[in-house]
Amino acid sequence: MVLFFGIILTSCDSDIDTGEFVVGSDNLSVNNRVILIDTATVEVSTINFDSLVTSGQSRILLGTYNDPIFGKVTSDSYFQLSSSSYNLQTTSSDTEGANYVFDSIRMVLLPDKYYYGDTTQVQSISVHRLLQKVKQNAENDDNFYNNSSLNYDPVSLGSTSFTSKPIRQDSVFVKLDDAFGDAFFQKLKKREIVTTEEFVEYFKGLVIRSTSANSSGVMGYQITSMLQLYYSKQVTDSKTSILKEFTIDDVSKQFNRVSLDRTGTIIKDLPGTTERLSSNLTENKSFIQSGTGLACRIDFPNIKELKYITQKGAIIDAQLIIRPVNNTYSKTYPLVDSLNIYVADQLNRLSGTLNSASGSAIYATLNKASDEFGENIGYSIPLGTFMQNEMTKQSDSRSALILTIPTISKGVERVVLGNQKNTGNKVQLKIYYISY
C-alpha cells in the first residue's frame, strides 16, 4: 500500500527537521508530498553466533531445561578459586598446627535472583575437580566462550538435588568428598601451599555440572559463591571450630559453557556463523536465544529502489514492528522488555550498534499492551536514519540488522518472531518518504 499525504509548510526561510532527516528550506514548497510505503520487502532469518564471551560476566549460570521450541539447554560453570592467605590461622601461636584436624568441606552457591524456565522442578548438580588450569591456550585471547571447556575428573567430589527458590535466595550447599578435603587440608597444614601459584598448581579449579534429567530451569548464582573448609583446633577436652574460605577473586577465570541440543527441532539444520536460515524454512519464524548465540537477522533487499520514486526525495521516518509469535511466550518463558540491535554485513560481521541521527544507540522496545488476539504486542524499532543511509549509499553493499537479547552472554532467555508471512504476527514496516 502506498498513500500520499499533502503537507502545508508555514515557513519558507528555515530548514525543516522531520525528526530523522533535515530537508533544506530551498527544496520545500507547497507541492511537496509525503508518501507512506508499507509494502517494502522485509526478509527475516535466524543466524548463529557460535562463540559468545561468557567469562567476566560475574554470574555462575547452572541448570538444564527442555525447551519445547528450541531444544535442550544446559549450562555448566568453570572457575578458579583463591584466598587472601593460605595459612590455616594466622593469629595462632600454634605455628606447627599440630592440633589442627580436618572437619568438612563444602561448596556454597549464593543465588543472584536470575532464573529462567520452570524452577519448581528438582535440579541436580555435580562438582568436579579441574585437571587443567583456567587459562586460555590461544594467543592474544584471554576470553572463554559459551563453547569453551576444560578437562575435569569424571569422578564427582559431591552432588546434590534441590528445588530452587530464586526469589527467597536460599543458598545451595554441596558437601564435598572428605578424602579430597583432608588431602587439601594437609597441604595447608604442612605449609606445602603458601602462595596463589602453588595453590593453583595443586588445585586448578572446579566445574559445576548440571546433571538434571528432567529439570526445566536455569538459575544464576553470585560470583561471591565460595568453597568453605572447616577444621578444628583440639586443646585438652575443648574443640574450636574454624572456617577458611576460597572465592573467585578473578572474574576472568570463571565462565559458563552453554550448550543447545536442537535435535528434532525446526532449527536443527542451522548453518554456520556466516550464513542464515530463512524464516520461510522455519514455519515463518525467526529465533533469538541468549547464551547459545541464536539471533534474528533482518534484511531490506529493495531499499535502494526507493530513490527512484521521484527525482528528488528522502526517507524522513521509518518504523519497524516485529512481533513475537503467539503461544511461544508465557509466565514460564516471558518476553524480554527490549532487544539490542546491531548493524551487520552479508557475512553477519557486526560493525556496531544501530544508532539514531544524534548517535545514541537504538533499542527494539516491547509494546506490552495486549488485545484479544495479542496482535498489538510487538517490538518497535525507529529506522529513519538507517533506511535513508541505506537508500543513498553509493556502494552496492547492503547492511542488515541483527537482533539479540541484552543478556546474550549471561542468560538463556529466548524470543520467537514472525516474518511477513506469519499469520497473526506479521512483521510490519512503514516508510515515510518526502518528494521535493
Side-chain angles (χ1 to χ4, degrees), residues 201-217:
E201 194 64 38
Y202 171 74
F203 183 40
K204 297 173 175 58
L206 295 172
V207 56
I208 304 180
R209 301 182 59 240
S210 174
T211 56
S212 304
N214 299 308
S215 175
S216 292

Side-chain angles (χ1 to χ4, degrees), residues 11-12 17 32 70 143 174 198 210 289 302 359 384 406 426 432:
S11 173
C12 295
D17 188 351
N32 294 139
F70 287 73
N143 295 316
V174 187
E198 292 172 338
S210 174
Q289 188 174 49
N302 302 322
K426 296 180 180 179
Y432 296 90

Side-chain angles (χ1 to χ4, degrees), residues 50-58 78 132-150 250-257 409:
D50 63 353
S51 297
L52 301 176
V53 175
T54 61
S55 56
Q57 303 300 318
S58 297
Y78 296 71
Q132 62 182 119
K133 295 178 182 178
V134 185
K135 180 181 180 181
Q136 269 287 26
N137 294 323
E139 294 184 7
N140 304 318
D141 189 359
D142 295 328
N143 295 316
F144 289 90
Y145 300 85
N146 62 323
N147 55 4
S148 298
S149 64
L150 298 170
D250 186 351
V251 295
S252 70
K253 300 294 186 181
Q254 182 272 324
F255 69 93
N256 303 308
R257 176 179 174 83
S409 292

Side-chain angles (χ1 to χ4, degrees), residues 323 326 329 367-377 424-425:
R323 296 180 171 89
N326 291 339
Y329 53 92
N367 171 29
K368 296 181 180 180
S370 177
D371 61 358
E372 181 181 358
F373 302 103
E375 294 180 356
N376 290 334
I377 297 177
N425 303 109

